[in-house]
Amino acid sequence: MRKRILILAVILIIYAIFTLGMKVGIIDDYIKLNILLILLNIILATSLNLISGITGQFSLGHAGFMAIGAYTVAVLITLPKPLPFYLSLLIGGVFAAFAGLIIGLPVLRLRGDYLAIATLGFAEIIRVVIQNIDYLGGASGISDIPQGIDWTGYYVIAILTIIILSNIINSSYGRAMVAVREDEIAAETIGINTTLFKVLAFVIGAFFAGIGGGMYAGYFGFIQPDIFNFFKSIDILVMVVLGGLGSLSGSIIAAIVLTIVSTLLQNVPAVRMVLYSIILIIIMLFRPQGLLGKREIRLSDILSFQRRGV
Amino acid sequence: LLSYSKSSSTIKLGVNLELSGAVAQYGQRALEGIKMATDEINKKGGILGKKIELVIFDNKSDKTEALNIATRLATKENVLAILGCTTSGATKSAAVAAMKYKIPIISPTATDDKLTLDERTGKTKAYVFRVCFNDSFQGDVMAKFALKTLKVKSVAIIYDASSDYSKGLEKNFKVAFTKGGGKIVAEEAFAKSEQEFSGILTKIKAKNPEAIFAPVYYDEAGLIIKQARELGIKVPIMGGDGFDDPKVAEKAGSKYANNVYFSTHYSGQDPDKKVQDFIKKYKQLYKNEPNAFVATSYDLVYLVADAIKRANSTTDREKLRKALEDTKNFAGVTGVITINKYHNAQKAAVIIELKNGVQVFKQKINP
Amino acid sequence: MSTFVQQLINGITLGSVYALIALGYTMVYGILKFINFAHGDVFMLGAYIGFLAAVYLKLNLVGCLIAAMVFCALCGIIVEKIAYKPLRNSPKISILITAIGVSLFLENFMQLIMGADSRVFPRLIEEKNYHFLHGNIVVNNKQVYLLIITIILMIVLNYIVKNTKIGKAMRAVSQDMDAAKLMGIDIDKTISYTFAIGSSLAGAAGVLVGLYYNTINPLMGVLPGIKAFIAAVFGGIGVIPGALLGGFSLGIIETFVSGYGSSMYKDAVAFAILVLILLFKPAGLLGKSLKEKV
Amino acid sequence: MDVFYGAIQALFSVSLEVDEGEIVTLIGANGAGKSTLLKTISGLLKPRTGSIYFENEDLTKKSPIEIVKSGISHVPEGRRVFPEMTVIENLELGAYVRKDRSEVEKDLKIVFERFPRLYERRNQLAGTLSGGEQQMLAIGRALMSRPRLLLLDEPSMGLAPILVSEIFEIIKEINARGTTILLIEQNANMALSVANRAYVIETGRIVLSGTSQEVASNPDVKKAYLGG
Amino acid sequence: MLKLKGVTMNFGGIIALNNVEIDVDEGKIIGLIGPNGAGKTTVFNVILGLYTPNRGYIRFENSDITNKKTYQIAVMGISRTFQNIRLFRELTVLDNVRIAFHKNVKYSLLDAILRNKKFIKEEEEYLKKAEELLKIFGLYEKRNELAKNLPYGEQRKLEIVRALATSPKLLLLDEPAAGMNPQETQELKNLIKFIKEKFNLTILLIEHDMSVVMDICERIYVLDYGEVIAEGTPVEIKRNPRVIKAYLGEGDFGFAS
Ligand SMILES: Nc1ncnc2c1ncn2[C@@H]1O[C@H](COP(=O)(O)OP(=O)(O)OP(=O)(O)O)[C@@H](O)[C@H]1O
Ligand SMILES: Nc1ncnc2c1ncn2[C@@H]1O[C@H](COP(=O)(O)OP(=O)(O)OP(=O)(O)O)[C@@H](O)[C@H]1O
Ligand SMILES: [Mg+2]
Ligand SMILES: [Mg+2]
């Protein structure tokens, strides 16, 4: 119990510090934007980690679910009688989760690279369909989406995502997902319905991707099918692997590191992508298992460590 | 906090372009035009006694990054205005920041009709401008050209469904052409980076259109012309300013680059000294032929410089915005530009014909 | 009817392009069990080498092919040594990330030094069109070359992997590296060979496709790379004739979807068909879905 | 020799000698380091200190390939057959370093004579063989390189009793034809009955060595490894 | 309790099982022996639904499980170990065991997300049970090691622990003594007898080590080329000439002396 209160306190303190920073102006709008991007990437990376890292299902379609969330929100909050933003966001997540279910049921029978292709395929189908629906703006997208969310919303949702995912992972349900990753046959023989857990991971992951997409629409104000293309999925996958497959804290750190690296590289426009690719390779060479491997850095561990240190 | 720092001895202009990634070829060419014009202006002493300083960033052809960079330019770098981006998507994304921080953003080449208009209210976005014509104008021009000059009644369209430029032209051409009594016999779409068009061309061939309209960029244009001709399709092929690159003829091969017509901003054969100087200078600098991206971006800098001069302030974004709005009959390489109330460049279009791979001036169409 | 035949020809041509790239993909995958994401970019590199060889060294087609193949083989070996070898004992997905890194590097490096704009590939051979059925069906000589070369390369490659000693070594390495060492197989050398062959195939494909479409640019490998990967998986990844079959299937499906259905949904429908077929053949067309022995 | 897995030390200054023509057996409990020792000899692991000599040649720095070429063959623990290759292909790979093709053909016949079951299954993928069949294949594959020193890691594991005795017959026969053998066995009774000399290893250290009879009659060994 | 009737299984031409009939009575330890490749492991695989037999049916406690999915069969109370060890290699010893409690978990996903009392209480219970099981098998000290780093013999034991954690009624052991020396084998025998009593198990056991089979099995089935060639008590089997010829050989090695 004390542990929980402590964690809550840390979460609140971080929130207070950043909010204050923004009020005072130490954190200017540019930095704030990048902090929001980090939070968004955390949601996307941790949720993909549930699918690919924890459950071991190689998915290249995360951006597709993001698109569903983003478009749902964009449409619902711009209706003649607009729905409230957070309700729309939830609906966006549910739609994405539903898509995850529809796609997951047949596709998750496939393994490894075959699964990768199928998920990639579905994400592309989602994108192409949106691209060809004029009501959704077609290729030119939807712009001037009213802003429905700000720093507080981003922060709270990111924290909730982390807590929910980590609670799932550290339960029997999460362990069953890990079992699916490690050895499907062995998992089945100890009574784990591997299909169910694959689909479950897929649905939960898709839900949070949808939420992430909706948050994007609600803050960035402009969406286009092209934003949610295959390369977006790859970007998220890179974060997951770089952080360490199966490590939520790894995903969080990778989301932070990669977003900051990318921002810093803005300063060298001519070679930014060349440098980025080299950095990517070097990190992988030095940390082949990802920054954290399968380990987790828990907030509670850090706290208790510090207390001991004092 | 957000106002432009007064002490600066230069005029800082932000450049937000696709220098890497999917459409780097547009951004890189646009940057050439921007740099060339800036150098010229600075050599002549700058504007209002100050030199232009370009603050250049690469948005990786990524929309989110375009917004990120626009935010940076508007807040951290304190530039007077933002030049860019080349594509409508990135520009729209960046425009979110432009509106928020009240800084003019002027695109050299983004053509989507909706770019400068608020999608919710339909009003013109105060800080968003462009120096090129928009899709509906070009679509109109080519539809009229098809009906009146080529005198064709049935047209097949090939377009890039993943490109808002291509879709915009397609849509507006269709409307104008059918209104004028023409018939669209086929509409075929493909997605970015396609190289193989024989499938859709074969289908089109079976429908026997009198002409083909292909609102695409030069890479695809060259391939479409070539593959169509190889399949024995001989009818005229039309396009927009995306065709305006010498590569179209090179790719198609001079044998096939015939009976091709496209609308664009200016003709290389235009005897106007400004045009000829521009072409000569560009060739010297870059050992290459200029295309539409280079030319409009080149004009972009001069147009902004002109507005700064009229605003008589090197620091005030609001004054610059007004001056931009007031731009009338600005004489650039790509024509005489007036910024209309929708913040679009109003100017004449020229129609170019390819004859044995050579660009020949065909006619001029006024707005 | 003539339209149908013409579409079939179009589909086979497109399929040859996919197959040509998929061959190298599948070969590297078959041995190392990882998706060499940079394969499409090696293909691009091959096209540029061919381009440079033709423009500056004035080499003919064969010369350009050899130049591109040799250069790409070297490149493949170097890339493997730098970016993949240190990760040999890591999860395959880690190598996938360095492969993405390599891919980004090659694309952006080329954009940097050669410019992002496309180049026109020189016409190295005389183009000829053959007309049939009163000009209703057109085949050109480049299409024929493309098809023949693809098939020949497939046969050669299949022979190498199935029947030669190095081929057996490759397969052994792919199945159990330690056990392969105990057989006296030089793992490094075998993998280098694999990359050399796979990359030189990509190089050759680059030149041929560059010649066929006469357009090259630094990103030209991205889409064909993905499509070839799909083709390889579809045919049964790791199975060499599968790459050919997968490539042709994908090419023909795409062409027919856009030729007879809606071209707007070409990719979506093609994908849907592929996924559907995969659901019934979960290991691809020619992949054996072995019941795992437990 | 001292051998480590990362930071974990698995062997502690182990010294061991095998003379030409001998059968030497190494016995020890689970996790004692027996397999580790064989892996070090065949070059899969590198000792941190110490050295390995084979016929006056220093193998310590050599790669597994060179070690195989010099005449050492290793039947690893857990069989490690190539699962997606046929039985014949597996056997052919055993002769990978050999150049004398006609002799290889002969040896292939000999292996099939020894293990008729493998002949029945010659075109089956090795991964689908039963456990015991795979074990036969692993031994057969090692023999294909005509080794002068054969390292056997628990060759009788998973074999039917009738085959166990056969395997030991085969080991004796191979030895009689001039192949030196270093044998790891859980079935210490059998191992000691065919071996000339034996070593006992406990938690990475050699604790006892001597002729088979000496070792077999040691009371500690009797109690710990011989089931009585 | 378990009944195989007329079970036939072939793999593209190879008949791995031919008309196999096996009866396992509740509370017994039954042995399954036979030459290599006779089809013993395949019997386990068809029981657990990893392969579906081409003919015949399998009943477990009065229900037909022939076409059931593996996990359903496991939930019904059959658990197994593998000849080629299949642990969750990258997980710790403790986690390997904890995962196996999944089929008994009563808290919902929502309980897990909310970390409520129900969740915490159950989790604590599983942890305690897992640790108890590990202690029985002497693996408690190694609970935080990765499974793949255990020596072979201990991996085998861990597999048994994992199988037990699912609280099965019927336990299938595939060569549990492989890779163990006589002393360890002796311990294993005692362990098997012990857990059988403690957890009220029925056991079907494949083993080539005759000292194990003859000592602890009450009945033995002998397979050869996919057919049951003999069935009986250890004494009967030991003397059966067909079994001697096909499987045991003439020597008396392997028998506990
Ligand atoms: N890859 C590894 N990483 C870390 N430790 C290892 C590794 N492989 C083996 N070990 C450890 O090294 C020690 C010796 O293992 P080894 O496999 O040599 O034992 P063994 O005598 O062959 O046992 P067994 O009879 O069970 O096969 C054991 O404690 C084992 O846990
Ligand atoms: N998936 C499969 N595909 C093809 N053949 C198979 C497959 N599984 C088993 N077999 C064959 O079926 C036969 C029986 O195999 P099984 O593994 O049941 O033997 P076993 O009695 O357990 O032998 P061992 O004692 O050696 O483990 C073997 O000949 C094997 O090659
Ligand atoms: Mg061992
Ligand atoms: Mg078996």
Side-chain angles (χ1 to χ4, degrees), chain D residues 5 8 10 29-36 77 154 186, chain E residues 149-153:
Chain D
Y5 287 105
I8 304 164
N30 269 275
K34 306 180 295 291
S35 303
T36 305
E77 184 176 38
E154 304 197 21
Q186 295 292 359
Chain E
N149 289 341
L150 294 184
Y152 212 81

Side-chain angles (χ1 to χ4, degrees), chain C residues 83-219:
Chain C
Y84 305 153
K85 188 177 166 197
L87 296 177
R88 222 173 258 167
N89 298 317
S90 314
K92 294 293 175 241
I93 205 160
S94 307
I95 313 185
L96 177 73
I97 302 300
T98 53
I100 290 172
V102 171
S103 160
L104 283 175
F105 175 78
L106 292 177
E107 286 162 16
N108 288 287
F109 187 68
M110 284 307 266
Q111 280 195 343
L112 200 65
I113 61 167
M114 297 294 299
D117 221 343
S118 58
R119 307 275 179 143
V120 178
F121 202 88
R123 293 191 159 75
L124 291 173
I125 52 172
E126 195 64 39
E127 290 178 24
K128 282 197 204 83
N129 289 327
Y130 310 108
H131 295 264
F132 303 95
L133 286 179
H134 317 291
N136 280 326
I137 295 173
V138 188
V139 183
N140 78 38
N141 56 344
K142 287 194 288 186
Q143 289 175 312
V144 178
Y145 288 146
L146 205 57
L147 178 65
I148 292 176
I149 293 177
T150 305
I151 292 176
I152 291 175
L153 285 177
M154 189 280 283
I155 293 171
V156 170
L157 200 60
N158 202 36
Y159 180 82
I160 292 177
V161 172
K162 277 264 142 65
N163 298 317
T164 63
K165 202 167 168 182
I166 184 76
K168 281 196 188 118
M170 286 172 179
R171 280 153 64 211
V173 167
S174 87
Q175 292 168 32
D176 191 330
M177 263 188 209
D178 272 347
K181 275 189 209 162
L182 292 179
M183 300 298 107
I185 294 170
D186 187 333
I187 308 281
D188 291 337
K189 212 168 85 187
T190 309
I191 291 178
S192 287
Y193 270 124
T194 309
F195 268 86
I197 296 174
S199 305
S200 62
L201 278 176
V207 174
L208 291 172
V209 173
L211 185 70
Y212 182 68
Y213 291 119
N214 78 32
T215 302
I216 62 173
N217 71 61
L219 300 183

Side-chain angles (χ1 to χ4, degrees), chain E residues 226-248:
Chain E
E227 290 181 43
V228 178
I229 57 163
E231 182 209 330
T233 63
V235 183
E236 288 163 9
I237 294 296
K238 241 191 265 193
R239 299 212 183 102
N240 185 320
R242 261 184 98 179
V243 179
I244 293 175
K245 182 156 180 297
Y247 182 61
L248 294 174

Side-chain angles (χ1 to χ4, degrees), chain C residues 290-294, chain D residues 79 117 121 124-125 127-134 158-160, chain E residues 11-12 14-17 34-43 45 51 83 174-175 206 208 223:
Chain C
L290 285 176
K291 265 194 194 154
E292 197 177 350
K293 168 89 167 77
V294 285
Chain D
R79 307 166 195 128
R117 185 80 191 196
R121 296 273 184 265
Q124 191 173 329
L125 294 187
T128 64
L129 293 177
S130 83
E133 289 162 351
Q134 289 184 7
L159 288 187
Chain E
F11 298 105
I14 296 169
I15 299 175
L17 297 179
N36 296 113
K40 304 178 296 295
T41 302
T42 308
V43 168
N45 288 339
Y51 302 153
Q83 182 174 8
D174 198 345
E175 299 195 23
I206 299 176
H208 288 301
L223 279 180

Side-chain angles (χ1 to χ4, degrees), chain A residues 58 60 106-107 109-111 113-114 116-118 120-122 124-125 128-129 132 185 230-231 234 237-238 241-242 245 270-271 273-274 276-278 280-281 284-285 288-289, chain C residues 29 35 37 82-83 86-87 90-91 93-94 96-98 100-102 104-105 108-109 112 222 226 229-230 233 236-237 264-265 268 271-272 275 278-279 282-284 292 294:
Chain A
F58 187 3
L60 284 180
V107 161
R109 294 183 11 195
L110 301 173
R111 275 162 206 241
D113 306 312
Y114 296 93
I117 284 294
L120 183 158
F122 271 110
E124 283 295 290
I125 291 173
V128 172
V129 169
N132 286 302
I185 290 180
F230 167 65
F231 299 98
I234 291 276
L237 182 71
V238 167
V241 180
L242 209 66
L245 276 168
V271 290
M273 285 310 286
V274 175
Y276 178 78
S277 59
I278 293 173
L280 205 62
I281 296 172
M284 274 335 277
L285 291 184
Q289 313 292 327
Chain C
Y29 183 94
I35 305 167
F37 229 86
I82 294 175
L87 296 177
S90 314
I93 205 160
S94 307
L96 177 73
I97 302 300
T98 53
I100 290 172
V102 171
L104 283 175
F105 175 78
N108 288 287
F109 187 68
L112 200 65
V222 178
I226 296 172
F229 169 41
I230 294 167
V233 170
I237 193 152
M264 222 150 59
Y265 288 97
F271 260 126
V275 172
L278 274 187
L279 292 181
E292 197 177 350
V294 285

